[in-house]
Amino acid sequence: MPVGPISPVRAGRPWPLGVERVEAEQALNFALFSRHATGVTLLCYTERDPVRPVFELALQFPAHKTGSIWHCRVPEAALRGATLYAWRVDGPAEAQDGNRFDRRKVLLDPFAPAVFFPPGFDRAACAADGPTDGKAPLGRLPSQAPALPPLPKGPRYTCRDAIVYELHVKGLTANPNSGVAPERRGTFAGLIDKIPYLCDLGVTVVELLPVHQFDPQEGNYWGYMTLHFFSPHQQYARTDAFSEFRAMVDAFHRAGIEVWLDVVYNHTAEGGADGPTYSFRGIDNQSYYLLAKDGSGYVNDTGCGNTVRTGHPAGRVLVLESLRFWAGTMGIDGFRFDLASIFSRAADGTMGVHEASLVAEIGLLARLFEVRLVAEAWDISAYQLGQAFPGMAWLQWNGRFRDDVRSFVRGGGGKVADLMQRVYGSDDLFPDTMLETRRPHQSVNFVTAHDGFCLYDLVAYDRKHNEANGHDNRDGTDDNRSWNCGHEGDDGAPDGVLALRRQQAKNFAALLLLSNGIPMLVAGDEFLHTQRGNNNPYNQDNETTWLDWERLERNRDVFRFFKTMIAFRKAHPSIGRPVFWRDSVHWFGSDGPVDLGPESRHLAWFLDGASVGDDDLYVMVNGHGEDRAFTVQQGAAPDWRRVVDTALPSPLDICEPGAEPPLESTAYRVGAHSVVVLRRQRR
């Protein structure tokens, strides 16, 4: 095997990390961060033989090292046709000191342009003792093709028009009944085929579950075990994942839809101490991961075996450079950060809430690239929802909205005050005080997400049914706040129970879309997709999670309700405002003041649209199991028209604009478990 350069190798420069083509010199510059390594070797391969390198270079200290970065510049002619590369890294291997160097391991560059999986790729072998030649993922060297130009900017929606739709790239179209051609199912291209459907529904933002390259052998269908932060998941593409992903983003933008990514920078696919050594663990374990004080084990604030040390320069640069790539090159409009509280942790793992440098740095990057930031503002050991999260202008997933609305709709007493708070915009979490003024649209309101019951299961199951996941039904939350409407599951469910479930699903949709803040739906909820009670199907790459599009035909009335309710929200700027409703809203009970008692299950509110040039709205909500008489306490009956009554059969449950019947009386009987919406036109 040829060893060493056949023409002069220069020291190169320590920036940027990864590999960069230097056109003027017909050379490649390599740079790798490893503070604790004692030796670093560059390996280059051809695709014909990804086991034996055709070029190998042991970097020399101090010539090839600046600070904590090892670097070199190699003429392309010296690489003997290589198109792939990796590293071997030497250093101490004392686990008690936090070091896990092993020169037998072939290591993927975290900043590689793309990933190559050799035919012998083997997760188990990379987790075992011994060499991983031919079994570990490799990086691709940059091609001589011109750099990808930035994509045109996508649209930007206000709190009035933003309708977020969380979806799984594969799950949306993988089912044979999706109507997508077989070769396009489960791919980025398949999503393009569903754009007309999403536009018809009224979606303006798609939030994609993780698309960063994750470990194809780890078994995490959701994609939350990232292997590489700079490339799209190859299994979602037919040929070139980069070009197909960009084509998808461009198609969404042309259709007037923003694209957000759910990104996972808090942990990696290497997992805990018994996980594989692909990259970070072997390059510099101490710098990339939070370790226990004695250095022997990993801090597991993520529940996935490890926690990225985002307070350290190595972790911070990784996150920022990855975000810059996806925003600048791949055209992404927003990022939802999984377990974003990890970013509040300093280099030593302590929580530095108001001095979280990475949060501030991400905020600056977002400003430069005009992207939105959404935090899941908690992790296993910290809950920062609301003003406790240091990103002052970030949007946040509002888990309190989910919990409080679920508790009310399932019939819980004493939840009226909580419902009022959530509908109003959650100013308890995002206060608009003079000292620190937050906005209601910082609350991303949701009832369901990928994690937990989908909407139909929320009204069809009292308890989780996760046996298929292989953990004896111990995984997934037990705090579902669900109600099966009187019968567990679908088998043998009476017609009355099935009808009530549809009504409850419409109640959830109505309350979500009538609330101030930004609403988020989950793909398939609009036609009652079911996961048969599995509230944690993270490893179910099958028809449990693949959307069953036949249910769209069976549940067209529910789809119509969602679609019309979305259009109603967009048509009324009174609902989604950039500020809280304040004096525009007046709260009532069924016939008088609001009842905040422990058994109260009813609420009404009047929303004055004058300040925003909109119609007036009146909403009545009955969470009781029996009908209840309400009195409309604003205006005369003929002025009001009924838009929504979820107790009525379709198509009377929601009326198209101009077809709403007028009220005959201000006395209105609101059915059990139902929501009524009235509109009064302003002239």
Side-chain angles (χ1 to χ4, degrees):
M1 178 190 70
V3 177
I6 59 174
S7 59
V9 173
R10 299 176 58 188
R13 61 186 181 189
W15 195 262
L17 293 174
V19 57
E20 180 186 46
R21 180 174 298 281
V22 184
E23 294 291 350
E25 300 179 23
Q26 294 294 294
L28 296 176
N29 194 89
F30 297 86
L32 181 76
F33 178 96
S34 183
R35 177 177 177 80
H36 299 95
T38 57
V40 169
T41 302
L42 173 66
L43 310 172
C44 296
Y45 307 83
T46 64
E47 291 189 33
R48 293 189 304 275
D49 186 358
V51 180
R52 289 171 288 274
V54 294
F55 176 84
E56 189 169 335
L57 175 68
L59 275 61
Q60 302 299 311
F61 167 79
H64 294 138
K65 189 168 186 284
T66 301
S68 298
I69 299 176
W70 300 76
H71 50 87
C72 64
R73 184 167 299 179
V74 183
E76 290 183 84
L79 298 180
R80 297 185 171 90
T83 58
L84 310 170
Y85 80 109
W87 298 93
R88 293 192 194 278
V89 182
D90 286 323
E94 298 87 357
Q96 68 273 14
D97 294 327
N99 294 310
R100 296 181 181 271
F101 293 105
D102 185 346
R103 76 173 319 275
R104 296 172 300 172
K105 302 298 185 184
V106 174
L107 302 173
L108 171 68
D109 188 338
F111 292 84
V115 181
F116 173 82
F117 293 98
F121 170 65
D122 189 335
R123 176 182 173 86
C126 291
D129 188 47
T132 56
D133 301 80
K135 301 173 183 178
L138 307 174
R140 287 190 179 275
L141 294 173
S143 69
Q144 295 184 5
L148 294 172
L151 285 172
K153 287 291 183 182
R156 290 295 182 273
Y157 289 98
T158 66
C159 48
R160 168 184 172 181
D161 299 324
I163 305 293
V164 184
Y165 189 84
E166 187 196 41
L167 66 88
H168 187 283
V169 171
K170 182 174 183 179
L172 193 79
T173 64
N175 201 310
N177 65 20
S178 66
V180 173
E183 69 276 8
R184 295 170 68 89
R185 292 175 193 156
T187 67
F188 300 126
L191 292 192
I192 296 175
D193 297 342
K194 285 297 182 182
I195 287 177
Y197 168 83
L198 297 176
C199 290
D200 183 45
L201 178 59
V203 170
T204 58
V205 179
V206 291
E207 181 175 302
L208 309 183
L209 265 68
V211 299
H212 291 174
Q213 180 64 59
F214 55 89
D215 186 346
Q217 294 183 358
E218 194 274 335
N220 191 303
Y221 163 75
W222 282 343
Y224 283 92
M225 296 298 276
T226 309
L227 174 68
H228 186 249
F229 295 97
F230 292 87
S231 54
H233 189 60
Q234 296 173 21
Q235 288 70 25
Y236 292 161
R238 297 161 298 168
T239 54
D240 176 32
F242 287 85
S243 62
E244 292 183 31
F245 183 89
R246 280 167 53 90
M248 175 202 69
V249 172
D250 188 50
F252 274 122
H253 286 174
R254 292 177 185 276
I257 297 176
E258 292 185 43
V259 181
W260 297 357
L261 294 188
D262 187 340
V263 289
V264 186
Y265 294 111
N266 58 77
H267 68 277
T268 78
E270 292 185 317
D274 57 350
T277 297
Y278 288 142
S279 182
F280 309 98
R281 191 196 313 278
I283 291 172
D284 196 340
N285 193 58
Q286 283 193 56
S287 295
Y288 278 111
Y289 294 122
L290 280 176
L291 305 178
K293 289 184 178 180
D294 63 2
S296 61
Y298 293 97
V299 172
N300 189 17
D301 286 330
T302 65
C304 297
N306 63 50
T307 303
V308 175
R309 194 178 176 188
T310 57
H312 187 280
R316 284 161 53 193
V317 170
L318 178 73
V319 173
L320 293 169
E321 284 295 293
S322 174
L323 291 172
R324 185 172 67 88
F325 166 75
W326 289 97
T329 302
M330 305 301 271
I332 293 305
D333 307 296
F335 299 95
R336 178 267 186 188
F337 294 86
D338 183 64
L339 303 184
S341 287
I342 297 296
F343 297 157
S344 295
R345 299 190 179 280
D348 62 358
T350 57
M351 188 68 77
V353 175
H354 295 294
E355 298 177 359
S357 59
L358 181 57
V359 174
E361 289 162 351
I362 292 173
L364 175 59
L365 185 144
R367 175 72 176 257
L368 294 174
F369 286 92
E370 297 182 20
V371 296
R372 305 205 216 202
L373 306 175
V374 185
E376 183 185 40
W378 55 84
D379 59 32
I380 284 182
S381 59
Y383 195 77
Q384 296 178 296
L385 179 61
Q387 61 180 331
F389 185 74
M392 182 170 290
W394 289 44
L395 313 183
Q396 297 182 34
W397 267 27
N398 191 343
R400 287 283 301 278
F401 184 97
R402 171 199 60 204
D403 295 344
D404 290 340
V405 173
R406 284 186 179 192
S407 294
F408 180 91
V409 173
R410 74 172 177 177
K415 298 296 182 181
V416 170
D418 294 334
L419 181 64
M420 292 169 62
Q421 192 83 71
R422 302 306 148 226
V423 167
Y424 183 71
S426 297
D427 67 334
D428 58 331
L429 302 172
F430 305 96
D432 57 344
T433 62
M434 180 63 74
L435 179 63
E436 190 171 302
T437 306
R438 304 291 179 113
R439 299 299 187 96
H441 61 256
Q442 290 184 254
S443 172
V444 176
N445 300 329
F446 66 101
V447 172
T448 59
H450 66 276
D451 187 4
F453 277 152
C454 57
L455 184 62
Y456 181 75
D457 291 1
L458 188 63
V459 299
Y461 294 91
D462 277 355
R463 57 189 183 277
K464 66 187 182 187
H465 296 269
N466 297 358
E467 291 80 6
N469 298 347
H471 306 294
D472 297 323
N473 205 34
R474 293 192 300 269
D475 62 309
T477 183
D478 293 313
D479 183 18
N480 295 295
R481 306 191 189 203
S482 61
W483 178 43
N484 64 19
C485 297
H487 184 93
E488 188 75 359
D490 281 348
D491 293 342
D495 290 343
V497 167
L498 296 175
L500 179 56
R501 290 175 181 173
R502 304 171 89 82
Q503 185 170 317
Q504 287 285 73
K506 295 173 185 178
N507 291 338
F508 278 120
L511 291 173
L512 175 64
L513 292 163
L514 289 167
S515 298
N516 206 357
I518 294 179
M520 184 184 80
L521 314 175
V522 174
D525 279 356
E526 72 275 15
F527 54 77
L528 303 185
H529 173 72
T530 179
Q531 295 174 163
R532 298 172 183 82
N534 193 328
N535 74 354
N536 188 40
Y538 75 98
N539 60 1
Q540 298 299 309
D541 186 4
N542 51 49
E543 292 186 357
T544 298
T545 51
W546 301 348
L547 294 197
D548 180 3
W549 289 90
E550 290 182 1
R551 292 181 73 88
L552 173 60
E553 300 308 316
R554 296 202 299 269
N555 300 309
R556 277 284 176 184
D557 63 315
V558 179
F559 172 83
R560 174 184 172 273
F561 187 91
F562 271 78
K563 174 183 174 179
T564 311
M565 196 71 222
I566 288 171
F568 179 81
R569 177 188 177 88
K570 291 179 180 178
H572 292 285
S574 191
I575 300 172
R577 303 191 190 191
V579 295
F580 291 98
W581 294 337
R582 290 184 173 269
D583 295 339
S584 294
V585 69
H586 303 276
W587 304 97
F588 304 103
S590 57
D591 187 14
V594 180
D595 181 357
L596 299 178
E599 296 303 318
S600 176
R601 293 172 173 83
H602 58 276
L603 174 68
W605 68 89
F606 167 71
L607 190 55
D608 189 326
S611 65
V612 290
D614 192 13
D615 296 342
D616 297 330
L617 304 179
Y618 198 93
V619 181
M620 297 175 281
V621 185
N622 181 15
H624 284 273
E626 298 178 353
D627 295 357
R628 189 175 186 91
F630 277 69
T631 299
V632 179
Q633 298 178 56
Q634 290 282 330
D639 295 335
W640 291 104
R641 293 184 174 272
R642 190 195 76 233
V643 180
V644 172
D645 187 338
T646 61
L648 297 177
S650 182
L652 300 177
D653 55 352
I654 188 165
C655 299
E656 304 290 343
E660 312 102 316
L663 285 194
E664 297 178 357
S665 169
T666 55
Y668 195 101
R669 180 163 289 276
V670 179
H673 301 295
S674 66
V675 176
V676 174
V677 181
L678 310 176
R679 178 180 66 85
R680 182 172 69 182
Q681 185 174 355
R682 278 190 172 271
R683 295 178 177 84

